[in-house]
Amino acid sequence: MIVKMAAVLRHFWARTLSSKMLPNKHLSTTPSSDSHEKELVVTEQLGNVMTIGINRPEVRNCVNPATATQLVSAFHKFEQTEDALVAVLHGKGGCFSAGFDLKALSGKQLVPDSYTEPKDGDNAGMGPTRRVFSKPVIAAIDGYAVAGGLELALMCDLRVVEENAVMGVFCRRWGVPLIDGGTVRLPALIGLSRALDLVLTGRPVSAKEALDMGLANRVVATGTALGQAIQLANSIAKFPQACMLADRASCYNTAYDAQSRVDAFQHEWTQGLKVIQSEAVPGATRFAKGAGRHGSFSNINSKL
């Protein structure tokens, strides 16, 4: 397995280095005739699911400032579209994202203009990576989700990962730090010890290992991540939304914001009460009328 992953890693960096030989029109961050015509981020709404696709396959969907700006706009559109209940983030052309486009950095700039101080705003170099969205977002991961691409994946609620995909903090070898939430979200998701393993070594992580450590939520066949993620999104969209969103918000509060155990319990209780009258009581009434007052849950269990 180690030999296999090492070969995969060598193949990735060989392709990455070879991308430097692409024509300048593919790598330049200054507007050109084809950059005006091409959408760097493509959105599509499929019922209650909105897909958001990074569209720079020629550079393995590396994100430059223009792409970051379009990602922010795409997620703003998702947040503002009432009937878009779940988003699926993916990369076009067989690769989720290989991170930030280092060609966008000039020799005189330490960070690109698209970065802001966290205290000044939510937009980061990769776009919306500091945000916690009001609705669920699923990452459909194929190819590579590395460096800043990993941080985009960590931004999402769930990660559906193809069996041959590779994840990791590949920016370690270039001396580029994680400044798009990687060191914040990764320990919260998989624990400090495992997070440090990935952060300190920059090693590749297979889909199977990602699933074992909790970094991936589903591992699916090659070529099916987007379809499987959309299917998962549709299943989430079918639930009563206020209740689901309240429970989701409580999980994030407990993980990042609660000052104590009591504080976490209080948040869960307060937000839950708001939902009971709007969804739980009407839902329970409908359930009771349909299933009777006794044996209701046994009827449910028989269908699971």
Side-chain angles (χ1 to χ4, degrees):
M1 176 61 70
I2 295 176
V3 173
K4 181 179 179 181
M5 292 306 298
V8 169
L9 185 59
R10 286 196 300 272
H11 174 68
F12 172 83
W13 287 114
R15 292 188 62 192
T16 299
L17 292 174
S18 67
S19 69
K20 297 179 181 179
M21 304 304 294
L22 291 172
N24 289 337
K25 67 178 182 180
H26 293 303
L27 298 176
S28 174
T29 59
T30 58
S32 63
S33 58
D34 57 353
S35 67
H36 282 300
E37 296 171 0
K38 180 179 178 181
E39 290 182 282
L40 302 175
V41 176
V42 180
T43 64
E44 181 180 6
Q45 189 159 345
L46 306 170
N48 293 128
V49 177
M50 181 178 289
T51 62
I52 300 174
I54 305 172
N55 190 29
R56 300 187 77 210
E58 69 277 3
V59 289
R60 284 168 296 286
N61 292 318
C62 284
V63 173
N64 61 5
T67 310
T69 298
Q70 290 190 28
L71 275 172
V72 170
S73 297
F75 276 101
H76 179 74
K77 177 182 178 182
F78 165 62
E79 291 276 63
Q80 296 300 312
T81 304
E82 290 187 6
D83 61 346
L85 303 182
V86 185
V88 174
L89 176 64
H90 65 105
K92 296 279 191 176
C95 182
F96 182 74
S97 174
F100 189 77
D101 189 349
L102 297 182
K103 291 288 186 179
L105 293 176
S106 70
K108 298 180 180 180
Q109 278 187 297
L110 293 178
V111 295
D113 293 334
S114 55
Y115 276 85
T116 61
E117 292 284 340
K119 61 183 177 61
D120 296 329
D122 292 329
N123 296 339
M126 294 292 293
T129 45
R130 294 188 190 130
R131 300 190 178 191
V132 177
F133 303 106
S134 64
K135 298 178 284 188
V137 179
I138 300 172
I141 298 174
D142 57 354
Y144 295 92
V146 296
L150 175 63
E151 292 178 291
L152 279 174
L154 297 176
M155 172 191 75
C156 301
D157 296 86
L158 301 173
R159 284 150 294 282
V160 176
V161 182
E162 292 189 0
E163 59 191 354
N164 67 341
V166 177
M167 307 173 79
V169 186
F170 281 17
C171 50
R172 178 59 54 237
R173 66 202 59 234
W174 299 111
V176 178
L178 296 170
I179 52 178
D180 278 80
T183 64
V184 177
R185 298 185 193 269
L186 194 58
L189 285 174
I190 64 174
L192 179 60
S193 179
R194 283 172 167 166
L196 285 173
D197 178 15
L198 303 191
V199 169
L200 296 180
T201 66
R203 66 181 180 84
V205 177
S206 68
K208 181 181 182 304
E209 185 182 6
L211 181 66
D212 291 342
M213 68 171 60
L215 182 56
N217 300 97
R218 308 279 194 280
V219 173
V220 299
T222 300
T224 68
L226 181 57
Q228 294 278 3
I230 292 172
Q231 182 177 343
L232 177 59
N234 276 314
S235 70
I236 293 172
K238 292 178 181 178
F239 291 123
Q241 291 296 293
C243 177
M244 183 271 293
L245 293 176
D247 287 347
R248 173 182 177 270
S250 182
C251 288
Y252 277 109
N253 177 73
T254 300
Y256 294 106
D257 299 323
Q259 299 300 307
S260 67
R261 176 173 52 87
V262 173
D263 187 29
F265 280 134
Q266 185 63 52
H267 182 277
E268 178 190 62
W269 171 259
T270 302
Q271 299 304 311
L273 285 180
K274 296 177 182 178
V275 176
I276 288 178
Q277 288 299 323
S278 64
E279 278 189 351
V281 171
T285 301
R286 290 193 302 271
F287 181 78
K289 288 180 178 179
R293 296 180 61 187
H294 303 287
S296 301
F297 288 101
S298 63
N299 290 339
I300 290 178
N301 292 334
S302 68
K303 297 177 182 180
L304 296 180

